């Protein structure tokens, strides 16, 4: 039995998720699906210009897994460009790099990046905030009492 796939940490979701070659209608062409974690791997390596180890750390995966993901993404992009196929970015095994907090004073719900560890409500300034949603990236933070000054 194969091991279950772990979620990869994603910092940014793609702003644009569909690309069609110029001069072709969407209904005439095949699509190639790029998973969100493949998109993130290309963003980190090719745009942010991080090395493989830094990319893998940011996505919370091994270097070999990172290499497999980026190889798959680059092959799909090459096929789409050479064969004139549409590119759709969707799905995959990922989770976003945010935690959701709720202010107990004003009831405001807000999201912050996992690394920020904010303990003050951005709306009213209250320190009475608590984790509003548990996910695999904020559990360590959620297990702490966020309303205390420890």
């Amino acid at each position: 039995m194969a091991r279950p796939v772990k979620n990869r940490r994603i910092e940014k979701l793609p702003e644009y998720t569909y690309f069609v070659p110029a001069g072709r209608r969407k209904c005439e062409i095949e699509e190639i699906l790029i998973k969100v974690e493949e998109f993130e791997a290309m963003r980190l390596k090719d745009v942010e210009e991080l090395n493989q180890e830094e990319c893998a750390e940011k996505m919370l995966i091994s270097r070999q897994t990172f290499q497999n993901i980026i190889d798959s993404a680059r092959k799909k992009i090459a096929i789409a460009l050479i064969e004139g196929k549409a590119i759709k970015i969707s799905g995959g095994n990922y989770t976003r790099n945010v935690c959701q907090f709720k202010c107990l004073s004003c009831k405001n719900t807000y999201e912050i990046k996992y690394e920020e560890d904010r303990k003050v409500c951005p709306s009213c300034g209250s320190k009475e905030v608590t984790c509003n949603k548990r996910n695999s990236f904020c559990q360590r933070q959620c297990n702490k009492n966020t309303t205390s000054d420890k």
Side-chain angles (χ1 to χ4, degrees):
M1 180 188 270
R3 288 178 19 190
V5 177
K6 291 182 183 177
N7 282 339
R8 285 82 159 136
R9 182 166 69 178
I10 303 300
E11 289 181 13
K12 293 183 180 180
L13 290 172
E15 188 174 342
Y16 305 101
T17 60
Y18 205 84
F19 301 89
V20 179
R24 300 198 60 194
R25 293 188 323 203
K26 184 178 169 183
C27 61
E28 297 175 337
I29 56 176
E30 292 180 45
E31 289 180 348
I32 293 218
L33 180 66
I34 304 290
K35 296 177 185 173
V36 174
E37 64 261 27
E38 292 171 329
F39 173 84
E40 178 75 351
M42 290 189 307
R43 186 187 71 77
L44 292 172
K45 182 71 175 141
D46 301 329
V47 177
E48 299 292 326
E49 297 182 344
L50 300 177
N51 67 42
Q52 183 175 333
E53 188 171 348
E54 293 168 325
C55 295
E57 279 180 27
K58 281 190 167 266
M59 293 180 73
L60 296 180
I61 56 178
S62 70
R63 285 182 290 169
Q64 182 61 51
T65 299
F66 176 80
Q67 189 64 50
N68 293 342
I69 291 170
I70 199 160
D71 286 348
S72 172
R74 288 174 173 167
K75 181 176 181 177
K76 289 175 182 181
I77 295 293
I79 290 169
L81 293 175
I82 291 166
E83 297 179 7
K85 296 183 178 184
I87 298 170
K88 180 179 181 179
I89 304 169
S90 178
N93 300 298
Y94 70 94
T95 187
R96 292 195 53 221
N97 188 26
V98 293
C99 292
Q100 193 175 71
F101 284 83
K102 183 172 187 172
C103 177
L104 300 176
S105 298
C106 71
K107 307 297 184 219
N108 177 41
T109 301
Y110 58 98
E111 289 185 342
I112 59 170
K113 285 188 178 178
Y114 172 70
E115 292 86 3
E116 288 179 0
D117 193 27
R118 179 173 294 189
K119 296 180 181 178
V120 177
C121 175
S123 295
C124 70
S126 170
K127 291 185 179 182
E128 295 294 316
V129 296
T130 184
C131 182
N132 197 44
K133 180 174 84 174
R134 290 181 182 260
N135 64 41
S136 61
F137 296 106
C138 70
Q139 282 183 359
R140 282 178 274 154
Q141 188 167 333
C142 291
N143 289 336
K144 291 192 281 183
N145 183 357
T146 57
T147 58
S148 69
D149 291 325
K150 290 182 181 177

